[in-house]
Every structure is written in C-alpha cells, then in structure tokens.
Amino acid sequence: MATALDTPLLDPSRLRHDIAQFPGRGPNVGAALLAQLREQLQRGRADIKSYFEAGGSAEVVLHELSLQMDAVIQGTLDFAQAHVYGSSNPTTGEELAVIAVGGYGRQELAPGSDIDLLFLCPYKRTPHVEQISEFLLYKLWDLGLKVGQAVRSVSETIKLAQTDHTVRTALLESRLLWGSAPLADQLGKAFARDIVAGRGTAFAEAKLAERDQRHQRMGDSRFMLEPNIKDGKGGLRDLQTLIWISRFLYGGHDPAEMVRHGLLTRQSLGRFLRSRRFLWTVRCHLHYLTGRADDRLTFDVQPEIARRMGYRERNRVRAVERFMKRYYLVAKDVGALTRIFCAALEEQQLRQSRLGLRFGFGQRRVNGFVVHGNRLNVGDSGLFEREPIRMLELFHLAQERELDIHPQALASITNHLGKIDQRIRESPEANRLFLDMLCSRKDPALTLTRMNEAGVLGRFIPDFGRIVAQMQHNLYHVYTVDEHTIRAVGILSQIENGQLADELPISTEVMPKLLSRRELYVATFLHDIGKGRGGDHSEIGEQIAKRICPRFGLSDDATETVAWLVRHHLDMSRFAFKRDSEDPQTVADFVAIVQSPERLKLLLLLTATDIRAVGPSVWNGWKGQLLRELYHEAAAAMAAGDPQGRRARRIERAKAKLAEALAELPAEPWSPEAIEAYLGRHDPRYWLGFTPEEHRRHALVVGACDARRAPLAIDFRTDEFRARTDLLLYAADHPGLFMKVAGALALSGVSIVDAHIFTTADGMALDSLGFQDATSRLAVTDGARLERIRDNIEKALRGEIWLEKALAGKRNLPKRTDVFEVEPRVLIDNTASRTHSVIEVNGRDRPGLLFQLAKTLKELGLVIYSAHISTYGERVVDVFYVKDVFGLKITHRNKIQRVQKQLAEVLIVA
C-alpha cells in the first residue's frame, strides 16, 4: 500500500534514530527508555488521530501507524543490540530477522490492531535471540500494545505453514523489519518453493472455503443489524481474501495486479478500491471512537460514526439509516466483486486444463445458454449486450430447470446492468418473465435473491431499488427492507408447499382456497416498497402498486386487490394485537375494513408472512393465536350477519358445555345447584374469552380453592406452541391487584403479553395472564422457576415486597441499545369499544413499565378489564380496556387530559 503526504505526519527515520541513540544507561535504563517510547508513541498517534478526525484519509492513517510502529520496533532493537545485548563477535546462531506478518506486514495497521511479529532464527533459538526478542516484547507489552508473536527457525516456519493455513496466509504478507536480510530472503525462497509452487488452486479453494465458514460463524448475511466490518459477510476480510489468492497465484502487492492477470476488470478494480476505502474509514472511526480493536458496528456507535462521516438527515431519512444503507451497499458490492473474481479464476483454471472446453464434455445448450454440470452460463459474451432481456431469461431458466448460475454469467450481468433501461422495464415479455419467477412454485425467494445480489431487481424495478439496503434503525427489524421482502415471499412459498403447517396451521389451510394467489404474491413483494420515503409507507406503497401492477400485466381488479392489500397490510396485526377480539366493536370495525371473505384470507396470509419474515424470534404461537381468533371472529361475523345473536348463542353453548363437563365430576362439590351457582358468577365477557377446556380448568381451580377456604389460588399452564405460560389467579378482588401481579412478574424476569381481568358476581377476581421469558420471548417451562414466580406473586399481594424499589435499575435491553429513542405517546379512544375506553400507550420498554402504568391507572381511579401488550424491539405498545370506578367510559375532557399527562410522565422516566 503506497501512500504519501506532501507533509508527512511523522519522520520514521528520525524517530528510529532518537530511540536507538537514547542517552540513558545503567540499571534504570529500561524504565527511562519505556518512558521515552511511550511519549513518542502517544504524541505520534495523537497527531495521526487529529489528522484523521479533521477529515484525513484512512489509507494514510493505516500507513502512518505502520511506519510509526516500524520506527518504534527498529529503534528499540537497535538500542538493545548496541547497548544491552550486543556482541563483539556474533555467531551464525545469533542471527535474527524480525518480520512483520498479517495486517501489520502489509502495512495496514488500524488504530487498535494487533502487532504480529515473527522472530526468525537460522536453526534454533539461542540465549541471544531470546534476550533480544524478550527485550522488545516486554517494551511493547508495557506500552499497552497487543502483540502476536512467534520465535521459529526457517525450517520450523515452513513445516508449520505446510499444515496451518493461517500461518501460510500470514507469511504471504511478511515484511522484514529488522535484522538479517539473508535470513529473511532464505525464508522467502523456501516459502515460494515449498509452499506456493504448484499449489495455487488448492490455496484458492481453501481460502474460499475458509471464507464460507467465517460467514456462517458471523451470521451468513450482509445485512446484520450490528455487522462485523472486518470478518462479516461483505467486510474487509472478503476483499483481503481476493488479494491473498491473487498474490499466491501471481505475486505482487498492488491490487492492480488483479487487473493485469485478468481476475478483475478495471471498472471492478475501481469498485474494489472504493469499497475498501469506505470500510477502512469506518474501521478507523470505530477504533478511535471505542478506544479498542472493536470491529462490530454496534447500535450505540452507528449514529456517531454516521455524524463523523458527514451523513445528515435527508428527505426525513435519518443520518444513521443513510450511513448504514451505504454500508450495506458496499457489502453488496463486495459480494459482486467476489463473484466476478471467482468467475475469472474458474475460467483461467479451465483454460489451463483445456479438456473441458476443448471437447465440451458434460455441456449442453438450452435456449441459447450453456449448461455445464448443474450450472447455467452464457455461451456468448456479447449476448446481454445485444439482447438485455436475456438477463431475465437466465434467471427464469435457472429457476425452471432448478440450476445454479455460473459466476461468469453473474459477472457478465454485472457488466451489462446499464442495458436494463425503460424499454426493457416496459417490455410485456420481460414483465411476464418476472411475474412467472415471482409467483413460481419453485423457490421464488432464491431467484429474487439471485436477481437482487446481481443488481437486476433494482434496475428492473427502480422502486425496489430504493429499498435495497434500506435499514430501519431499531431492534425490531432484523433485516434490511429488501431482504425482509424477499424472505416474506419465501415464507409465503413455504406456506403454499405445506412446509410450515405446524407453525402456521390456519394459513396453510387457507392458502389452497385462495382465488387470488398471484395477487397475494405481488402484494407480498410490494408491501414495504414505500419505506424510506417519509410518510406512511402503506399509503405510499398503495400508490406504487397502482402504478406498477398494470406494467406487470395485472388487470384492473387484480391491481385494486394488490393495492388494497399493500394499503392495509398492517391492519390485521393492529386489530389482533392491540384490540380485544372478544369485543363486538373490534370485530365490527375490522369487518368494515375487510368486507369480503377473500380479502380476509389474503390479509391473514400477508400478515402472518410479514411478521414471520421480520426476524427469527419475532413470530410465536401467541401471535398466531391472536390472528386466528380475529380471523375466525371476522369470518363468522361475515357469514352470520347478526353479531349480537351469534354472541348470545356462543355464551349459551359455552355454559352448556361446562355444565355437562362438571356434571361428570363427583356430586360433591359439583351438585346441580353448585353448577348453576357457578355459571351465574361470571359475566358474558368471560364465556366468550376462553375455550371449553379452559372453562373447565378454571372451574376446577376455583372449586378446589373455595373448598379449602384458601385466600387465593395460582395455577400455571405452559403452552409451548403459543410460546407463553398462562397464569390463572383467583383471589379476593381489590384495587391494585393487577398492578401488584404485574410488578411481581416483572421482578421474576418475565413479560406479560396479555391479561384478561374478571370480577365474579360475589366479588372475587379471576384473572388470566399470559407471560413469556423477557429475554427469549418463549414460554417458561422450568418448574422451579414457576415456583419462584408463584412466591413473588404471593409476597407482592401480602405486601412483603416493595416493588418500586425492587424494580429500580433493572434492565431488559443491552446498554448499547440506549441510543434508540422512542417518542412517548398516549392515545385514548372511546369509539374502539362500545363499553370501555381504550388507552394505547407507546414507549420505550423497560422492566416494571407495565407495573408503573397499572399503578398510575389505579391512582387515577380507573379499573383495567383487559390488557394487550406487544413488544417491537425496544418499543412497547400497551393497550388497556378501562372503565372508571362507576363502570363508565372516560369522557370528560379534563379527565382524558389528566390520564394522558400522567401516563406520559411514566413513559419518560429514565
């Protein structure tokens, strides 16, 4: 890496000389020299940091840091040789070469990087070699530097390199720092003869396999929320891998060598250098900001690095999101460069063997393309230049024949992307091909991923190009918008193929009954296409759908269906997770939006697919249950047309089923009179809110508690499919009961997901709460932990725990996520329910928040009848159905304002 400044930041020759000629002698020379080294190192590094933070080049920083370290090491060794361990008559065994390897060897020393050194001796280490090496190492360690080091002979080094791929790669970048040039030259010749010669193909295969394994360890996605900019997919290590392979095959240290040897085009080299420069810059900012060798771009540093790199909010897109989009686009470019490089490399290997090309063994032609083995390639390098539509045909054929695509073909596409212009976009045949691929039963997500990676998807559909690498800076959305979209299409395909029947049973059952299958696939592809433009992305997406669907060849009514789905794709989850599906008003409002059974089916599938594609742990059985309940209620309402009559019949059926189940039990305590009395204790809401099995379970718990004259009963039931544990609490009702239970559960490390609160006719509380582990969002199954939760609830109800104090300072999210801000919001809706005021609270999640909200509602004189809790990463949305102490809605304007004000104050408490 050759870099120079008009005015160098430091003079390495002068620095080396000053250290080597350090005037101190005697027993305290070590401490005095160390002080001198520390002062020199700190001053030089401060100058380099100031240069960089003033807008200087990261490339210069890496080079200057390397030069400074060279001078420190060389000067220290000069001093040791001349004044501490010098020998007037050195022997051959005292020869020593100190060699920089790894990143330091290639003079790419980041601010926090390790210093990797090889102390090379002719045969075996001697006392002199050990003394010199230890003198240097102790000085470097005392300076606080991280040093990777080894002391080996030439033969030991070569022997190790033959079996250790890491050593082999490190030696590829070795550079003599100090000492015996003949000895270093001896290592170089042995390395070329015994390690490199004739082993280029094996090295390339090993490095690419190593890259794949590294990607798997780091998450195998270029679009991680907190990417590792060095080792992650699309990071610096991927670019270095290309240089390593090129260097092993052809020698040379300049990336331009890859062009000279046909591994990259000149245009691709430009992308390579731009990508590397960007990643270098980010890494230097990251090291300087954190003060350590940290290569993970975590949430807390992303906004500050965005600011330092000059990103500003634009068109209502936050600076950090613009910065991360740039990062993801660079990572995508790195993937494209790797494909181009591998295609050229494979072509060269084939050319060397010639056998496969000369006789065409295993090749066949299909629609003008060449199939070799299981890979589809172009047989004519000018094909895409003459017929750009053939790029779409390539992906279409690969999908239909279930073939892989040759890297050479992908490289050719990359070079001809500009040929996908408005003429191709408006071509009926091109749009037919795309729609076929999108709606295919043969893994449409794989085909869309290939098209997106190659850049075709964004060129063919520019609106999609705007969401490529579009990040959403929060904890809820795990993937960039384009990757989420493609995953959603993949999940829809899995549902259709029956692969998710256990996880999504109703969706799997409904899918074959659809009359608008194609419209659903298009809507899934377009549902988030309006993101990143400011405003409501559902409304923006609806307008895009109306414009783009006719281009795809969809009819007017199909276009209307797609646009409606895009516009309303969040409505079903909003009703299911924030409203009480047992409230007639909820169902009536939802049905008024949906209007038809076909749209209901479509919306169910799109909603389940969308949530499932957000991230691996976002979907769970509890959310599925809420969607299923709303779906069945809405379907029944459309079929019956008489919600009130249907509800009355459901209540009577529920009572009759429970009476029949209890009659089969011993007459004591379940006599006909006792059964009748029990049925009369519950209000209509109770009968509509649970299954017959749950009604029976509740009756048994209540009956046993009454028989024992116990003050309360607590019963747990784990539902792993719905990812929740159900808590049934039976106790004398009193104000603040729910508040105390919520506090005890928060103290136990679990989160309430919903709560249904009932008071029997004789004044007993029968509360049903669902909760999950606060970290894993899974059901709590451990018996010992459930007993601890029971103990916490009992102590809280007896007043033996001061909940406010116990919950103070507890966290449920890592400190680095404090960077996320959630604007507090409190909404009170008196139209969402016929009988209750519905309060929606939006704020940043924290342990004990539900307890504080419930406490505030109690102090305001409001009674909670049901609570629905949804967590979206760092943001929580709590919805409460409440009445005042007189059983009425909150209607007075001053009371509404007071409720909003006091709840908002709870949300903004740090």
Side-chain angles (χ1 to χ4, degrees):
M1 181 180 65
T3 306
L5 287 173
D6 293 337
T7 305
L9 298 176
L10 54 87
D11 183 345
S13 298
R14 177 64 181 272
L15 178 57
R16 176 177 180 173
H17 177 270
D18 289 347
I19 296 170
Q21 300 302 318
F22 182 68
R25 300 291 182 272
N28 296 321
V29 65
L33 177 62
L34 181 64
Q36 167 80 350
L37 291 172
R38 181 174 286 113
E39 192 275 332
Q40 295 274 18
L41 189 67
Q42 289 176 347
R43 186 172 65 232
R45 288 197 161 196
D47 289 344
I48 295 170
K49 182 180 179 182
S50 297
Y51 159 80
F52 179 68
E53 292 182 343
S57 161
E59 187 174 7
V60 170
V61 168
L62 302 183
H63 188 64
E64 293 285 318
L65 286 172
S66 296
L67 290 177
Q68 183 197 41
M69 189 51 57
D70 289 356
V72 167
I73 291 172
Q74 291 161 351
T76 303
L77 289 168
D78 288 345
F79 179 88
Q81 181 76 357
H83 304 295
V84 184
Y85 300 113
S87 173
S88 58
N89 188 23
T91 66
T92 304
E94 291 176 333
E95 264 193 285
L96 175 66
V98 180
I99 294 174
V101 295
Y104 179 39
R106 63 178 177 267
Q107 291 190 300
E108 293 175 14
L109 191 62
S113 291
D114 294 0
I115 314 299
D116 293 321
L117 299 173
L118 171 63
F119 294 90
L120 190 67
C121 48
Y123 310 111
K124 60 181 180 179
R125 65 183 73 185
T126 63
H128 177 75
V129 168
E130 289 186 350
Q131 289 170 338
I132 288 281
S133 59
E134 287 179 3
F135 183 86
L136 173 66
L137 289 172
Y138 279 119
K139 292 293 176 288
L140 296 178
W141 288 333
D142 289 342
L143 289 170
L145 299 170
K146 286 179 288 185
V147 184
Q149 51 81 28
V151 182
R152 300 192 194 101
S153 68
V154 173
S155 61
E156 287 173 335
T157 304
I158 293 300
K159 185 176 180 180
L160 190 60
Q162 288 171 334
T163 58
D164 191 320
H165 199 63
T166 303
V167 173
R168 193 180 314 154
T169 305
L171 289 174
L172 194 61
E173 301 174 309
S174 60
R175 177 171 59 90
L176 177 64
L177 280 177
W178 182 91
S180 172
L183 190 58
D185 188 54
Q186 183 184 343
L187 176 65
K189 289 177 179 176
F191 183 75
R193 180 186 65 245
D194 300 333
I195 303 298
V196 175
R199 297 173 180 84
T201 301
F203 180 85
E205 290 174 352
K207 290 311 293 184
L208 293 172
E210 180 186 75
R211 179 206 59 179
D212 294 340
Q213 292 167 6
R214 173 168 45 80
H215 289 170
Q216 289 293 332
R217 288 198 310 272
M218 304 304 295
D220 201 28
S221 173
R222 293 186 180 87
F223 308 110
M224 304 295 289
L225 276 175
E226 296 181 302
N228 187 302
I229 62 171
K230 178 184 175 185
D231 292 322
K233 193 171 186 177
L236 278 166
R237 189 67 83 203
D238 284 0
L239 293 176
Q240 289 163 0
T241 297
L242 306 187
I243 293 180
W244 287 330
I245 294 172
S246 174
R247 186 171 298 170
F248 199 95
L249 290 170
Y250 301 112
H253 293 267
D254 189 340
E257 295 285 341
M258 291 187 284
V259 176
R260 284 193 283 275
H261 295 289
L263 294 172
L264 289 181
T265 64
R266 191 161 298 281
Q267 179 187 22
S268 297
L269 176 63
R271 290 170 73 185
F272 180 99
L273 296 175
R274 288 192 297 273
S275 298
R276 188 175 66 168
R277 192 178 305 120
F278 175 85
L279 293 171
W280 271 346
T281 303
V282 173
R283 192 175 189 220
C284 285
H285 278 299
L286 189 52
H287 285 195
Y288 280 133
L289 183 59
T290 60
R292 61 184 185 274
D294 192 348
D295 294 318
R296 191 174 171 210
L297 203 51
T298 53
F299 298 124
D300 52 333
V301 299
Q302 289 172 8
E304 176 59 19
I305 292 179
R307 186 192 68 78
R308 292 184 178 202
M309 291 184 67
Y311 288 86
R312 300 290 179 265
E313 182 173 331
R314 183 182 297 170
N315 298 327
R316 297 173 66 181
V317 178
R318 289 185 292 177
V320 65
E321 292 181 353
R322 293 185 60 233
F323 161 63
M324 290 305 295
K325 178 167 185 171
R326 173 65 181 150
Y327 170 82
Y328 293 129
L329 287 173
V330 166
K332 191 166 172 284
D333 276 349
V334 172
L337 288 166
T338 302
R339 286 194 300 274
I340 293 168
F341 182 94
C342 290
L345 187 64
E346 183 168 336
E347 175 65 21
Q348 289 183 9
Q349 298 303 312
L350 282 172
R351 220 181 285 130
Q352 288 172 11
S353 69
R354 294 310 262 171
L355 187 63
L357 290 180
R358 184 177 299 161
F359 298 105
F361 291 153
Q363 291 190 12
R364 66 185 189 277
R365 288 190 171 270
V366 181
N367 295 353
F369 296 105
V370 174
V371 180
H372 184 76
N374 193 46
R375 296 199 295 189
L376 190 63
N377 199 357
V378 286
D380 177 358
S381 60
L383 180 64
F384 297 150
E385 178 76 25
R386 297 190 308 273
E387 303 176 71
I389 197 173
R390 302 298 296 274
M391 287 186 252
L392 290 166
E393 285 186 24
L394 176 78
F395 292 106
H396 189 274
L397 182 61
Q399 183 184 55
E400 285 300 303
R401 301 292 181 95
E402 297 180 345
L403 298 169
D404 198 359
I405 298 178
H406 197 286
Q408 198 173 37
L410 293 171
S412 182
I413 285 174
T414 301
N415 293 330
H416 292 94
L417 281 176
K419 291 293 180 179
I420 301 178
D421 54 15
Q422 196 61 27
R423 181 177 60 85
I424 297 296
R425 295 182 193 116
E426 293 176 357
S427 161
E429 176 61 13
N431 283 282
R432 182 194 68 79
L433 289 169
F434 174 74
L435 206 57
D436 279 355
M437 289 185 281
L438 173 62
C439 302
S440 173
R441 295 180 184 273
K442 294 182 178 180
D443 202 350
L446 174 61
T447 302
L448 292 176
T449 298
R450 288 171 170 173
M451 295 175 71
N452 193 35
E453 289 278 349
V456 171
L457 206 49
R459 287 289 302 182
F460 185 64
I461 305 172
D463 288 298
F464 188 88
R466 293 186 62 164
I467 62 169
V468 169
Q470 177 67 48
M471 177 211 186
Q472 298 165 90
H473 194 62
N474 57 50
L475 287 176
Y476 180 62
H477 292 94
V478 176
Y479 306 110
T480 53
V481 182
D482 57 325
E483 180 154 336
H484 161 74
T485 298
I486 293 172
R487 284 175 181 266
V489 172
I491 288 165
L492 183 60
S493 178
Q494 288 178 292
I495 293 171
E496 185 170 30
N497 293 331
Q499 295 170 251
L500 299 177
D502 291 339
E503 188 178 341
L504 302 169
I506 299 300
S507 296
T508 303
E509 178 187 324
V510 164
M511 187 77 191
K513 302 175 183 177
L514 285 182
L515 303 175
S516 311
R517 174 187 176 276
R518 185 176 61 168
E519 289 86 333
L520 177 59
Y521 270 93
V522 176
T524 303
F525 178 72
L526 297 177
H527 78 280
D528 275 350
I529 204 162
K531 283 192 170 179
R533 305 188 187 211
D536 187 329
H537 78 278
S538 300
E539 294 178 0
I540 295 169
E542 177 187 26
Q543 297 306 313
I544 294 171
K546 287 179 178 178
R547 170 167 48 81
I548 208 169
C549 285
R551 195 194 106 183
F552 288 164
L554 269 61
S555 62
D556 290 346
D557 60 329
T559 296
E560 182 187 358
T561 298
V562 172
W564 183 89
L565 282 169
V566 173
R567 173 68 180 85
H568 295 283
H569 75 272
L570 297 175
D571 283 356
M572 192 169 191
S573 59
R574 179 165 56 86
F575 274 90
F577 303 157
K578 297 182 182 180
R579 300 274 291 271
D580 189 343
S581 62
E582 297 302 332
D583 188 315
Q585 190 65 47
T586 297
V587 179
D589 290 347
F590 181 63
V591 169
I593 294 172
V594 177
Q595 297 182 344
S596 83
E598 177 71 4
R599 282 187 172 182
L600 177 62
K601 296 188 191 93
L602 292 168
L603 196 55
L604 170 72
L605 282 156
L606 180 54
T607 303
T609 296
D610 186 18
I611 297 171
R612 180 68 170 69
V614 167
S617 61
V618 173
W619 176 267
N620 55 43
W622 163 67
K623 290 181 178 176
Q625 179 67 17
L626 293 178
L627 290 173
R628 285 191 292 274
E629 288 173 0
L630 180 59
Y631 172 79
H632 288 308
E633 286 292 324
M638 289 179 189
D642 178 16
Q644 291 299 330
R646 182 171 51 81
R647 285 170 59 81
R649 288 191 295 273
R650 287 179 59 205
I651 291 170
E652 291 307 314
R653 281 199 302 272
K655 287 183 176 181
K657 284 187 177 181
L658 179 60
E660 183 180 341
L662 295 178
E664 295 175 355
L665 299 174
E668 189 59 42
W670 295 108
S671 64
E673 294 78 17
I675 293 173
E676 188 64 29
Y678 181 81
L679 297 179
R681 293 176 73 180
H682 300 293
D683 66 20
R685 273 194 326 118
Y686 172 78
W687 298 108
L688 294 170
F690 300 98
T691 65
E693 293 76 16
E694 289 170 320
H695 287 143
R696 183 178 183 277
R697 171 195 164 213
H698 296 175
L700 294 178
V701 171
V702 170
C705 184
D706 288 344
R708 297 194 316 271
R709 298 184 181 278
L712 81 161
I714 297 173
D715 185 64
F716 297 108
R717 186 65 52 90
T718 297
D719 188 339
E720 292 191 60
F721 175 71
R722 293 166 65 197
R724 58 181 279 154
T725 301
D726 288 316
L727 161 66
L728 182 68
L729 173 70
Y730 177 63
D733 196 14
H734 65 270
L737 178 66
F738 174 72
M739 170 196 76
K740 293 176 182 177
V741 174
L745 290 174
L747 192 61
S748 305
V750 299
S751 295
I752 296 174
V753 293
D754 65 10
H756 292 275
I757 299 162
F758 303 95
T759 303
T760 63
D762 52 352
M764 297 295 288
L766 187 64
D767 295 349
S768 175
L769 299 92
F771 63 83
Q772 301 170 325
D773 178 83
T775 303
S776 67
R777 298 293 174 184
L778 298 175
V780 177
T781 58
D782 179 60
R785 187 177 181 191
L786 290 175
E787 285 307 308
R788 290 194 297 272
I789 293 173
R790 181 195 303 275
D791 187 54
N792 280 341
I793 294 172
E794 291 176 350
K795 287 180 177 177
L797 294 180
R798 292 195 299 265
E800 297 176 12
I801 301 175
W802 185 5
L803 290 169
E804 287 94 335
K805 184 177 180 181
L807 290 167
K810 288 180 72 70
R811 300 184 63 90
N812 64 340
L813 294 171
K815 187 169 180 60
R816 70 178 187 278
T817 63
D818 288 348
V819 67
F820 297 120
E821 296 180 1
V822 180
E823 190 67 31
R825 186 177 65 167
V826 180
L827 305 173
I828 299 179
D829 189 348
N830 278 312
T831 65
S833 171
R834 297 173 188 171
T835 53
H836 299 78
S837 291
V838 179
I839 301 177
E840 179 182 322
V841 177
N842 292 255
R844 184 180 174 82
D845 193 18
R846 68 175 189 268
L849 176 61
L850 184 58
F851 163 74
Q852 293 290 348
L853 293 171
K855 180 173 179 287
T856 302
L857 290 172
K858 170 183 170 289
E859 292 168 350
L860 287 164
L862 299 176
V863 179
I864 300 171
Y865 287 84
S866 69
H868 307 267
I869 287 77
S870 299
T871 303
Y872 304 92
E874 73 282 359
R875 181 170 63 93
V876 68
V877 179
D878 293 349
V879 177
F880 304 95
Y881 280 64
V882 304
K883 292 181 181 180
D884 64 18
V885 291
F886 303 106
L888 302 173
K889 291 184 176 184
I890 317 165
T891 55
H892 196 279
R893 182 179 177 184
N894 289 342
K895 181 64 178 283
I896 289 174
Q897 290 177 341
R898 188 152 62 94
V899 171
Q900 288 178 315
K901 179 175 180 293
Q902 293 192 24
L903 289 176
E905 288 172 353
V906 173
L907 295 174
I908 61 177
V909 171

